[in-house]
Amino acid sequence: MTTAAWTTGRTFRRGEPGYEQARRSTMWNQRVPDRFPDVIVQANTDDDVVAAMQMAARDGLTVGVRSGGHSWSGNHVRDGGLLLDVSRLDDVTIDRASMRAVVGPGIQASEVIKALMKQGLFFPVGHCLGVCVGGYLLQGGFGWNGRVLGPACESVVGIDYVDAEGVLRHASETLNADMLWAARGSGPGFFGVVLRFHLRLYHRPGFIGIATAVYPIDQLEDVFTWAHRIGPEVPTSVELNVMSARKVSLMRGQGIEVLAPVFADSWSAARRATSFMKSRPRGAKAWTPLLPTPMTGLYRGVMTHYPSATQWAVDNMWTHAPIEDLLPGLRRIADTTPSAPSHLLWMNWSPPARRPDMAFSVEDNTYLALYGAWTDSRDEASASSWAQDRLSEMAHLASGCQLADENLGRRPARFVTDDHLARLDRLRANEDPHYRFHPWMGRP
């Protein structure tokens, strides 16, 4: 390990003691890619980030940025250049009077919601524990109550960032507005280092709860046909998810979980919003009626599907295809699912007709994601290719992909509209003319 004289952070160069530990620690996924930056900087302060970017400019280093390290693909870990770790920038300031918060990129979203809810406030933070807000907000941010509040990036009203030349700047709707536009949905292709996000806050819902049902896998066609049919009618206060795995709760074998978290003004409003669950197919092996559930309980339920110390290979797609066209692929997915915790996620989204103008621009009625997982190297060959292979077979039914679960380096897909991608390219040419920041994987 070496500590650079110009920074209070720590700097590791390839081949030096501590480098490999620093590289691997930037990944939550235990499948760490065989890519090796020339230098890793662990920033502790704004000045560390400024100094690191000035060094990159001086030495001609291309930069990747890590906040929480939950990128499944490890987009931030590249061969050569500089890996800038900003996970230690984790400050939070909440102003209830103005309904605003300012958060560092390295703060865990679950810590943000805990602090907010103590003050009767809310923000659409991510569904998984450990996810930090930096990458989550940049890629769009599909979080709790997101069908009502929109993707989380929609509620980003400003950013403090360091540009490609190492200059600290601010972007808002009235200052450097193009950079705010880009920060709201460009994900790992953003050409700046965000030090703080300025967020619009919301009032805490009066009731948070969930209703569930569990089915055997032989009812796959019935369950997904039902979910597809009722999806457009499900109130936006409900996040209807369908999950399939070799092992699900309350069943010994392969099955399907129907999950309906709800965020409403009252228990009675939540009961009305989840009344559609009465129309679910018969034959459920277990079910729970709507019950109030703390956020800790919702997180605990989600994390049963994402255990730590696991290697993951993930892919996804948006679609509005007819269920008749989707069912053969869904059956093929189920028949080839690797051992748990590998699983299929079907999310009912049904977005509104219009969003604010921002880089984020690809979404659709239904989100389909596959999470291949393994802990034993003997399972790697099948589990690591499952998600990519199955979704490649269904690519003709896809309208794009979501950057949260991107697999762009192995299977390029449309993640913003063509017009928005062209605008991002023009902005990069202006703001980052030397292409100091790595682009999305899968693009030159």
Side-chain angles (χ1 to χ4, degrees):
M1 180 202 72
T2 61
T3 302
W6 43 264
T7 175
T8 59
R10 304 174 76 181
T11 302
F12 303 87
R13 297 188 181 277
R14 188 174 180 183
E16 294 181 341
Y19 170 89
E20 183 58 12
Q21 181 180 356
R23 187 184 75 92
R24 299 187 71 85
S25 70
T26 67
M27 290 285 296
W28 179 81
N29 186 353
Q30 295 302 294
R31 189 191 192 193
V32 180
D34 290 328
R35 301 189 292 266
F36 300 88
D38 293 327
V39 59
I40 300 171
V41 173
Q42 297 174 341
N44 291 325
T45 66
D46 293 3
D47 289 342
D48 291 347
V49 176
V50 169
M53 287 306 303
Q54 289 175 349
M55 179 182 73
R58 182 184 67 242
D59 296 345
L61 300 174
T62 309
V63 177
V65 183
R66 178 258 185 167
S67 55
H70 271 250
S71 165
W72 301 104
S73 64
N75 197 293
H76 53 282
V77 182
R78 303 293 188 96
D79 277 323
L82 186 152
L83 172 52
L84 181 50
D85 184 342
V86 297
S87 61
R88 293 157 185 81
L89 305 183
D90 57 358
D91 54 306
V92 180
T93 303
I94 299 170
D95 186 341
R96 196 180 191 285
S98 65
M99 298 292 284
R100 294 288 188 269
V102 181
V103 299
I107 186 67
Q108 293 189 17
S110 57
E111 294 300 314
V112 173
I113 197 65
K114 183 189 301 183
L116 289 175
M117 291 185 72
K118 287 179 180 179
Q119 299 191 38
L121 301 172
F122 196 83
F123 188 80
V125 297
H127 294 92
C128 290
L129 290 172
V131 171
C132 297
V133 302
Y136 170 75
L137 291 172
L138 285 173
Q139 55 85 7
F142 290 84
W144 297 114
N145 207 21
R147 296 189 68 218
V148 170
L149 303 178
C153 68
E154 191 172 321
S155 297
V156 175
V157 297
I159 58 171
D160 302 325
Y161 69 100
V162 177
D163 69 12
E165 300 303 317
V167 178
L168 179 59
R169 305 176 71 181
H170 179 75
S172 67
E173 294 287 358
T174 57
L175 180 67
N176 299 314
D178 280 343
M179 287 296 284
L180 177 61
W181 180 91
R184 298 165 74 183
S186 62
F190 183 61
F191 28 90
V193 185
V194 180
L195 304 177
R196 278 170 293 278
F197 294 87
H198 299 251
L199 308 179
R200 178 187 302 111
L201 303 179
Y202 303 90
H203 292 292
R204 173 180 175 171
F207 178 89
I208 300 173
I210 189 170
T212 68
V214 181
Y215 290 85
I217 196 64
D218 60 11
Q219 289 192 247
L220 180 146
E221 283 80 5
D222 290 341
V223 173
F224 281 103
T225 298
W226 168 78
H228 188 276
R229 175 177 58 80
I230 66 166
E233 303 168 7
V234 173
T236 56
S237 59
V238 179
E239 300 179 14
L240 176 61
N241 297 312
V242 182
M243 303 187 75
S244 170
R246 291 287 176 187
K247 182 179 180 181
V248 299
S249 62
L250 305 177
M251 285 191 62
R252 293 184 179 180
Q254 189 173 8
I256 303 168
E257 291 181 280
V258 177
L259 309 167
V262 58
F263 298 78
D265 293 335
S266 64
W267 195 337
S268 59
R271 284 198 300 268
R272 290 193 298 272
T274 56
S275 62
F276 70 90
M277 288 287 283
K278 297 176 183 178
S279 71
R280 68 183 185 274
R282 296 182 178 181
K285 294 300 183 181
W287 63 277
T288 48
L290 176 65
L291 295 173
T293 309
M295 290 298 299
T296 53
L298 293 181
Y299 276 122
R300 186 164 54 248
V302 168
M303 294 311 293
T304 62
H305 299 283
Y306 302 99
S308 58
T310 302
Q311 299 188 65
W312 298 89
V314 174
D315 210 335
N316 76 93
M317 61 181 266
W318 288 110
T319 185
H320 57 260
I323 189 62
E324 295 78 13
D325 294 342
L326 293 168
L327 281 175
L330 293 170
R331 171 50 67 183
R332 172 99 167 117
I333 288 168
D335 289 345
T336 60
T337 301
S339 299
S342 300
H343 64 277
L344 150 71
L345 167 66
W346 166 293
M347 178 181 73
N348 174 57
W349 189 242
S350 299
R354 294 181 63 84
R355 295 280 191 201
D357 185 22
M358 53 188 179
F360 175 85
S361 48
V362 168
E363 56 186 333
D364 213 326
N365 292 340
T366 301
Y367 180 66
L368 188 63
L370 303 186
Y371 303 85
W374 67 98
T375 56
D376 190 324
S377 60
R378 292 172 295 184
D379 299 327
E380 179 175 0
S382 59
S384 64
S385 62
W386 172 67
Q388 180 178 332
D389 290 349
R390 295 293 81 82
L391 292 186
S392 293
E393 294 164 357
M394 299 177 71
H396 63 290
L397 303 174
S399 55
C401 77
Q402 182 189 140
L403 288 175
D405 301 324
E406 58 86 10
N407 188 32
L408 297 176
R410 296 176 180 270
R411 193 180 70 89
R414 176 177 178 263
F415 54 90
V416 294
T417 62
D418 292 344
D419 287 348
H420 283 209
L421 185 59
R423 182 176 173 183
L424 283 167
D425 286 341
R426 292 193 299 271
L427 287 173
R428 177 186 292 275
N430 182 62
E431 299 287 340
D432 182 19
H434 301 293
Y435 288 78
R436 191 72 63 220
F437 292 94
H438 288 294
W440 307 274
M441 289 196 295
R443 292 197 81 201

